[in-house]
Amino acid sequence: MSSMSRRQLISAATGMAAAAATPRLAFAQAAPAPASGNGAFILPPLTYPTNAFEPYIDQKTMEIHHGKHHSTYVANMNTIAKDHPTLGEKPLVEVLGNLGSVPDSVRTAVRNNLGGHANHTMFWQIMGPQGGKPDGEVLAAIDRDLGGMEKFQTDFNAAGGRVFGSGWVFVIVDKSGKLSIETRPNQDNPIMDGKRALMGNDVWEHAYYLTYQNRRPDYLKAWWNTVNWTKIAERYAAAKAGTLAV
Ligand code: MN3
């Protein structure tokens, strides 16, 4: 086991203990009061209950993932923004798209924590119960650029499976609506390369370890049952209009 995955496990175990002590609060604590700074960064509340994706994603994983992992990225950004307030005043896309202009002393922390905030904000958004199926323009783009749904899902799962250690697998959408599959390590986000994610899946162990342990491929397959295609259609339209926020 790598030191990274050991840290994640320790982090997950700590989160579990805390969640077990206050099980009913895990969902309600959507937006913890910022520890410091201008409070510019806010944890977006989930729009569905934490048990919405059982049995594909277990409730405890959802509670820890949203209420502990994502909320920590948000809290860290509010701490960083205490000394660097402009980070919280600029649009997220502008900051992540110009990491070179972030002060050296906090650049890596911003990359990791603001990247994590962006990735998870997208992630909660593109999942939902009764997510339907792709149709219209999105389905046409999947057929045209990704070889149809079956090949798309096979290739996306394979790419996610190949990520070594922690990271993400994304569907990138360009301004013309063209789709492609790309992966990123850690909490990197395509915005950092001037690209945009239509959707993506989190392949950090914290996203699946309690149910799937080492079986990341099983998680990748099951995850499709949680995808909200209505929201992805909205994101696709926004990407083509140049208005996609995260
Ligand atoms: Mn995660």
Side-chain angles (χ1 to χ4, degrees):
M1 187 183 296
S2 70
S3 62
M4 174 61 85
S5 55
R6 187 173 296 114
R7 274 203 305 281
Q8 287 168 235
L9 287 175
I10 291 165
S11 167
T14 306
M16 241 186 312
T22 56
R24 298 281 77 83
L25 294 177
F27 181 58
Q29 59 170 16
S36 56
N38 54 14
F41 300 95
I42 294 173
L43 181 67
L46 296 177
T47 57
Y48 35 77
T50 49
N51 66 357
F53 303 130
E54 296 269 6
Y56 310 111
I57 302 177
D58 65 275
Q59 179 168 12
K60 186 69 76 186
T61 292
M62 288 295 294
E63 289 172 358
I64 297 168
H65 200 173
H66 180 262
K68 304 292 179 187
H69 289 278
H70 188 175
S71 80
T72 298
Y73 302 131
V74 171
N76 288 345
M77 281 311 303
N78 282 318
T79 299
I80 294 166
K82 187 180 178 186
D83 290 331
H84 305 275
T86 56
L87 292 174
E89 291 158 5
K90 290 182 188 170
L92 179 152
V93 171
E94 199 177 303
V95 176
L96 284 185
N98 298 281
L99 280 175
S101 64
V102 172
D104 287 356
S105 60
V106 293
R107 188 176 302 138
T108 299
V110 169
R111 182 180 197 116
N112 291 337
N113 289 286
L114 193 56
H117 182 34
N119 285 337
H120 289 86
T121 298
M122 174 279 296
F123 188 57
W124 309 130
Q125 197 182 94
I126 59 104
M127 295 198 295
Q130 289 109 39
K133 293 190 180 311
D135 60 8
E137 275 199 286
V138 172
L139 182 60
I142 289 169
D143 287 342
R144 181 190 66 222
D145 301 328
L146 303 176
M149 270 305 282
E150 194 177 334
K151 179 169 165 42
F152 161 42
Q153 290 180 313
T154 299
D155 290 349
F156 184 93
N157 291 353
R162 283 192 302 266
V163 173
F164 185 78
S166 300
W168 289 76
V169 52
F170 295 104
V171 174
I172 305 292
V173 56
D174 76 10
K175 282 173 186 157
S176 74
K178 187 174 191 307
L179 305 181
S180 58
I181 296 169
E182 295 187 16
T183 63
R184 294 290 186 281
N186 305 313
Q187 293 295 356
D188 283 2
N189 180 289
I191 294 167
M192 297 171 186
D193 310 314
K195 298 182 180 181
R196 305 310 303 272
L198 174 64
M199 60 185 287
N201 194 1
D202 185 344
V203 300
W204 284 58
E205 283 183 345
H206 68 226
Y208 61 86
Y209 204 86
L210 296 184
T211 295
Y212 298 95
Q213 293 87 44
N214 60 316
R215 303 187 305 279
R216 187 193 288 178
D218 292 349
Y219 158 70
L220 280 158
K221 272 185 211 161
W223 177 78
W224 291 100
N225 292 288
T226 72
V227 172
N228 181 347
W229 288 103
T230 303
K231 189 54 79 171
I232 289 171
E234 290 172 19
R235 290 180 61 86
Y236 188 74
K240 288 178 72 176
T243 58
L244 189 55
V246 172

